[in-house]
Structure formats: structure tokens, C-alpha cells
Amino acid sequence: MNSGKLWDGRFSKGLDGTVNDFNASIHFDARMYREDITGSIAHAQMLAKQGIIEEKDSEEICDALAGILSDLESGKLEIDLSCEDIHSFVEQTLTGRIGEAGKKLHTARSRNDQVALDLRMYLKNETDTTIELLRKLCETLCTLAERHSSTIMPGYTHLQRAQPISFGHHLMAYAQMFLRDISRLEDAKERANVLPLGSCALAGTTYNTDRAFVAEKLGFSSVCANSMDGVSDRDFVVELAGACSLIMTHLSRFSEEIILWCSWEFKFIELDDAYSTGSSIMPQKKNPDIAELVRGKSGRVFGHLISLLTMLKGLPLAYNKDMQEDKEAIFGCFDTVKLCLEVFTPMLATMKVLPCRMRAAAAGGFINATDCADYLTAKGIPFRTAYKIVGQIVAYCIEKGKTLESLNLEEYKSFSEQFEDDIYGAIDLNTCLNRRTSEGGTAPEQVVKQIESGRLKVESYKKS
Ligand code: ARG
């Protein structure tokens, strides 16, 4: 009987219709058609080079595969979604076009090592695309930070005003996160860059294959050392999903701040109209939906990561069909991350920053209290004692409705004789900012340094 399946030799009837749909993966693995064809071409070339199939058969296979690829790209050929998976579709189309020679392609290969190959190739590409998007985001952050290396805003801990910082410094904190994300993706890509093809079903093959040749053709840096691991390793998928999850965590934290900053309570920024939405009932509303959606979509990616870990954790060696579930999860991770980055970066680039509002917020909340204590410490008072004195001054100010700047010298002196006229300069917000010159601190000169080294890193990740 002939069910059209690659594996129908030992079966007396075709799959039940619902089971057929349940078993199929073509509706989500079709997107790997390019990798499947490129991998097959390298495999066919290797088979001929090793004398496993004849040169003319290999040539015929490679030409036909190239034809299938260009027909798919031009839209002349459509992927037949009734096939089980993309591997079946490509092989069936090939034999449909060239007959007997096409049937030789699957020598010394299994779908188990083939799918592992396709997935690694596909994900290496996705990683590169994502790195490029992250690079753009980091560039945007550096440009914004440059503009705002002296723009004073309140820095927070516990969402309570803590110490003055610059907006540029705040932005560069995110740049550091995204730079780490790039490096994490690079690391994970390195481990994904190992050729599984040649592992065959699980045990290797009796044919005299040349795996290094295929690795070189397809741009892999090495060949997997164990055929069983080659077909059943999905660590690279989990690692990449982990890297995607952290990207989403960073984007989500950033989104949360954007959402806060847009509120009337803060009003530190205003999003461009092209990146905001309105309300169907409240005419005054301008909502930060984009940032909220980015924050919301992080859940999907974390979910995919957990799905992958759970799918793998009980699997005996080697290939099990459970692994087919890896694709939707990891595709979903990259689709979401890319989508979010594509809207997030221009949203940042076009937002209006409101330095006056930031400055006004920094003027309240006694965020120069540490500097006031540091002033006393410089006059020889131990920091803990100075801290106590300033605590009492703050309590006094709250009671009298005053700020540290508005106390007169007499009032200061009633707390400590060490206070002199220069206290006002010491607690000026510009002084507070400019004096935090420790490495990685918020002083503009340090922020500028950070931007410079950030830019160098961004440049170094550029694809050569
Ligand atoms: N569609 C399958 C997957 O995604 C391809 C591998 C099938 N291998 C097998 N032995 N049934 O994992």
C-alpha cells in the first residue's frame, strides 16, 4: 500500500485522518525549507565525493534541489501542507521531479539528524538577526544617553526617590543589559554551531561519510562527537530560549519604567503619537500600549522556555517524537523577541524627554540627603553620626514643610556646628551628580566613558 509517507513500507493502511494531522509538523516546520534544501545539497555533494553515490546522480540531485529552492522563493512552487513535514515535502518533490536519482539522497542520513541540522542552521540565523536588532537598540540608547548625560532625574530604590542620577546613566544601565544579551546569544550560538548531520538515526552509519566536509560547506565550526547526543541534544534550543527570556525580562522592566514615566504622576517622557494609542471613551487618554504589550508578551517567551525544559526532562536517548515540540516553542521565542525589538527601539528613538519634569521631581524627596551627610563626614564627623544628624534634619524639614536647600544656616547650625555657608553648594543637585565620579558612577564624565566603551562593544558585535 502507498500512503505517500516516506516510511510506508511496512504498513498495511494509511494513518487515520486526525492522527495524520496530529502527527504532522509541516505547518510549523515549513519555515525551515531553505535550511533543509541547503543541508541536503551539502549532503549529496559529500555522498558523491566519498563515492557513496555517483557524481551524475549527485549533480542531478543538487540541480533539482536548487530548482526547488528557487521555485519556492519565487512562489512558483507551493509547500504541500498535506506532507508530514518539510523534510518529506522536499524529498517527495525531488523524487517527483527527477525520479530514481532523488531516491538516493537519503543514503547515510535520517530525519533525526536532518531535523537537528535544519534547526541549528535556522536558529543560527535567527540569532544573528536578533543580535542585529539588539545592536540597533544599544546604538539608540547610546545616542539618547549622550544627549542626556547631564539631565538630572531622581534615581530610585524601592521606587522611593534615592539619589540624583542622570537620565543618560539610567539609559546606559539598560544598554549594559542588552549588551550582555548579545554576548549571551553569541555564546549560545557557538554551542549550536556543531554539525549533527552524520549521526544518522542514532548510531552513526556503515557508509564512509565525511562529516568535516559537510560541516565546512555549511559553516559549522565542528562536528558532534557522539551520534546519540547529535540527534537528541536540544540544549542549544533551551539556551537560546533562556537568552530570549532574559531579553524579554529586560524589555519588560524597561517597559514598566516607560509606562510609569508616561503617567501624569511622573511625566518624564512623552511617547510619540505614532507609538501610543487612545481610548474609545476617554478623550483625554494617550496610552503606552506598545510598552504594555512588550511587558505582557514576556510571559509567552518564559512559557516556551518552561515547555522546552519540561519536554526534554524525561526523554530517554535518543530521538523521541516529543522533540518535534521544540520548534513551535523556540520559533515563538524568536518571533516574539524580534517583534518586540522592532517596535521598542523606534518607540524610544521618537519619545520626547522632559528634563524639566525630571529636574522638578529630583528637587523633592530629599535626594541630596546623602550628600549632606557626606558634607559632615568631610568635616571629620563619622559617617554614621552624620547620617543620624541629617536624618533629624530631614524629619525637621518634613515637619516644617521645608527642603534641605531652604533651611537657613542658623537652622543647620542648630543640628551641627560644622555646617557652614558652603553646605548650599554641596547639596546642589548638579554638585551631587558631578561629584559621583567613581568608576561606573553617574557623573557625566563617567557616563560619557560608559557610552564610549558601550559603542565599541556594539561595533565589535557587528557581523563582518
Ligand atoms: N518532524 C520531526 C521533528 O520535528 C522530524 C523528525 C522525525 N523523525 C522521526 N523519527 N519520526 O522532530
Side-chain angles (χ1 to χ4, degrees):
M1 100 116 232
N2 190 344
S3 69
K5 291 275 185 275
L6 292 175
W7 41 262
D8 69 359
R10 57 116 58 218
F11 290 81
S12 56
K13 46 166 128 150
L15 273 182
D16 166 87
T18 315
V19 173
N20 188 60
D21 295 345
F22 182 72
N23 188 51
S25 55
I26 193 149
H27 47 288
F28 52 81
D29 65 24
R31 59 162 92 188
M32 302 194 302
Y33 72 89
R34 208 172 293 122
E35 288 73 17
D36 197 75
I37 293 173
T38 317
S40 290
I41 291 176
H43 180 66
Q45 287 170 336
M46 183 278 290
L47 291 177
K49 182 185 87 68
Q50 294 300 98
I52 299 169
I53 65 172
E54 281 174 43
E55 190 63 52
K56 67 166 186 20
D57 286 335
S58 169
E59 272 169 23
E60 207 180 338
I61 291 171
C62 292
D63 287 350
L65 285 171
I68 293 172
L69 181 57
S70 78
D71 288 352
L72 282 172
E73 311 264 34
S74 69
K76 216 165 118 190
L77 174 65
E78 262 183 38
I79 292 176
D80 176 0
L81 294 175
S82 70
C83 289
E84 184 176 331
D85 52 29
I86 189 62
H87 328 293
S88 313
F89 168 75
V90 171
E91 196 178 323
Q92 275 168 25
T93 311
L94 178 72
T95 27
R97 287 189 177 190
I98 62 172
E100 286 307 297
K103 296 184 185 165
K104 299 184 180 174
L105 171 64
H106 211 53
T107 318
R109 188 176 75 167
S110 152
R111 268 188 303 164
N112 299 349
D113 56 348
Q114 190 180 352
V115 72
L117 172 74
D118 293 2
L119 190 56
R120 282 179 192 256
M121 287 171 69
Y122 182 85
L123 293 181
K124 281 202 289 172
N125 250 323
E126 288 288 86
T127 305
D128 286 342
T129 313
T130 308
I131 288 175
E132 202 41 43
L133 288 168
L134 285 168
R135 282 188 60 250
K136 282 204 189 107
L137 172 56
C138 289
E139 271 169 14
T140 301
L141 286 171
C142 286
T143 307
L144 272 172
E146 218 153 45
R147 225 176 282 155
H148 293 286
S149 61
S150 307
T151 303
I152 294 178
M153 70 179 277
Y156 297 84
T157 64
H158 313 270
L159 206 54
Q160 301 288 320
R161 290 175 195 165
Q163 289 177 348
I165 54 160
S166 74
F167 186 50
H169 194 53
H170 198 119
L171 293 173
M172 284 311 287
Y174 281 104
Q176 298 302 332
M177 296 178 223
F178 296 120
L179 283 170
R180 284 199 296 280
D181 286 328
I182 297 181
S183 122
R184 219 177 329 270
L185 284 172
E186 292 272 8
D187 286 353
K189 193 179 120 188
E190 196 43 48
R191 275 182 293 281
N193 201 12
V194 177
L195 181 88
L197 201 72
S199 300
C200 302
L202 76 162
T205 178
T206 53
Y207 294 97
N208 175 31
T209 52
D210 182 350
R211 300 186 63 203
F213 172 86
V214 180
E216 180 156 1
K217 282 241 160 246
L218 297 176
F220 282 89
S221 59
S222 63
V223 163
C224 71
N226 181 302
S227 60
M228 295 182 76
D229 185 46
V231 289
S232 56
D233 169 30
R234 294 293 185 273
D235 291 3
F236 64 101
V237 182
V238 175
E239 277 192 62
L240 288 169
C244 287
S245 297
L246 268 171
I247 298 172
M248 289 308 295
T249 302
H250 297 150
L251 285 174
S252 184
R253 292 181 75 172
F254 206 165
S255 295
E256 170 68 14
E257 300 219 66
I258 300 273
I259 294 160
L260 286 173
W261 292 342
C262 287
S263 70
W264 280 108
E265 283 67 19
F266 284 79
K267 256 300 166 256
F268 289 176
I269 58 160
E270 178 146 2
L271 293 178
D272 192 82
D273 280 1
Y275 294 88
S276 318
T277 54
S279 155
S280 60
I281 171 171
M282 297 167 281
Q284 85 284 11
K285 288 297 287 292
K286 182 169 172 184
N287 296 329
D289 284 30
I290 307 307
E292 289 170 59
L293 268 175
V294 170
R295 185 178 60 182
K297 281 179 191 289
S298 58
R300 292 179 184 234
V301 178
F302 307 160
H304 290 317
L305 172 63
I306 296 298
S307 301
L308 285 164
L309 287 166
T310 313
M311 177 274 283
L312 280 175
K313 82 173 181 68
L315 292 189
L317 293 179
Y319 176 84
N320 299 271
K321 190 72 172 222
D322 314 46
M323 287 172 159
Q324 180 165 289
E325 291 285 311
D326 60 1
K327 279 169 281 300
E328 281 166 296
I330 194 64
F331 294 165
C333 285
F334 277 106
D335 290 351
T336 305
V337 166
K338 288 190 300 179
L339 196 65
C340 290
L341 286 169
E342 268 157 22
V343 290
F344 196 85
T345 303
M347 178 186 74
L348 283 186
T350 54
M351 75 186 178
K352 192 163 146 204
V353 181
L354 304 171
C356 290
R357 293 281 313 174
M358 293 181 177
R359 176 79 194 205
F366 306 99
I367 67 175
N368 42 6
T370 315
D371 297 81
C372 189
D374 286 343
Y375 170 88
L376 290 177
T377 307
K379 303 245 165 164
I381 297 181
F383 179 76
R384 190 48 67 210
T385 313
Y387 170 94
K388 263 222 167 95
I389 294 170
V390 178
Q392 286 158 1
I393 300 177
V394 168
Y396 172 84
C397 286
I398 292 172
E399 199 192 312
K400 302 272 176 209
K402 294 192 167 192
T403 61
L404 290 179
E405 290 84 346
S406 67
L407 291 183
N408 61 40
L409 194 55
E410 210 176 303
E411 286 173 303
Y412 268 116
K413 280 202 181 286
S414 71
F415 289 96
S416 167
E417 271 307 315
Q418 300 295 335
F419 280 114
E420 299 295 344
D421 229 12
D422 55 352
I423 178 61
Y424 299 103
I427 58 167
D428 182 273
L429 293 188
N430 289 313
T431 317
C432 301
L433 193 79
N434 295 338
R435 288 191 60 219
R436 282 186 166 69
T437 52
S438 57
E439 197 174 340
T442 193
E445 63 187 74
Q446 282 297 330
V447 175
V448 166
K449 263 195 193 167
Q450 229 192 108
I451 296 169
E452 277 166 11
S453 67
R455 278 198 196 284
L456 284 178
K457 268 196 184 163
V458 175
E459 205 47 37
S460 74
Y461 288 127
K462 209 175 204 164
K463 236 185 126 205
S464 41

